[in-house]
Amino acid sequence: PDLSEWVTEISNTTLAPLVNVLSYESAGVPGDLYQDRLNIEFEKLGARGLTVVVGSGDSGTGCDICWYFAPTFPASSPYVTSVGSTTFKSKVVGPEMATEDFHSGGGFSFRFHQPTYQSAAVSRYFATNQQLPANHFYNAGGRGYPDVSAIGEGFQVV
């Protein structure tokens, strides 16, 4: 089913799950009206105390040859918790880095403003990272994602 059908069904469920996890990435950037409609539903779920966790996507910045990076949706929505993927640097437990087998999504939205709770972390990110792409590729004032990351490559599930 379409994501809007799913979120509507959850919204209409009296005893909906408290945490809803999606591994969903749109093909291309959905239209503004579609994003707005889903954001209203995500916001309503949040007002009910329900959490929506979304994978940040598998296409990195969303482009290979482009003038700007295309953040994925719904991972870039301000009303979900977006989760990225990491791996262990030395392939054993220890320091982590971004995945290598696929490009975990992340970046800054051109559409959604940066929430105030992200301001300090984003400022620190830009102050401490010197090898960034040209600033026309991203919106430093946009909603940054993912919100959190977890080991998603190079581990055993038992």
Side-chain angles (χ1 to χ4, degrees):
D2 180 84
L3 187 57
S4 63
E5 294 172 18
W6 172 83
V7 76
T8 301
E9 184 175 329
I10 295 295
S11 292
N12 293 332
T13 301
T14 304
L15 296 173
L18 296 176
V19 178
N20 298 270
V21 181
L22 303 173
S23 180
Y24 178 93
E25 177 181 4
S26 61
V29 179
D32 290 355
L33 291 175
Y34 183 77
Q35 290 182 48
D36 290 345
R37 180 70 192 131
L38 285 174
N39 276 336
I40 289 168
E41 295 302 324
F42 293 146
E43 189 174 18
K44 285 167 39 179
L45 293 179
R48 288 178 55 193
L50 306 178
T51 299
V52 178
V53 179
V54 178
S56 67
D58 297 337
S59 2
T61 59
C63 73
D64 292 322
I65 301 173
C66 59
W67 180 249
Y68 67 92
F69 299 142
T72 59
F73 185 85
S76 60
S77 168
Y79 302 105
V80 303
T81 300
S82 177
V83 181
S85 177
T86 62
T87 189
F88 294 117
K89 283 184 177 181
S90 61
K91 305 302 178 201
V92 296
V93 175
E96 298 173 35
M97 65 181 202
T99 57
E100 293 179 321
D101 287 347
F102 60 94
H103 303 289
S104 183
F108 298 92
S109 176
F110 282 97
R111 185 136 197 285
F112 306 115
H113 298 289
Q114 186 177 100
T116 55
Y117 64 82
Q118 288 187 339
S119 298
V122 170
S123 293
R124 190 168 44 255
Y125 174 80
F126 283 113
T128 58
N129 287 284
Q130 302 305 313
Q131 294 182 326
L132 296 170
N135 62 7
H136 67 81
F137 280 104
Y138 57 89
N139 175 15
R143 186 256 201 272
Y145 78 100
D147 296 296
V148 297
S149 292
I151 298 294
E153 171 192 330
F155 67 98
Q156 291 183 339
V157 177
V158 182

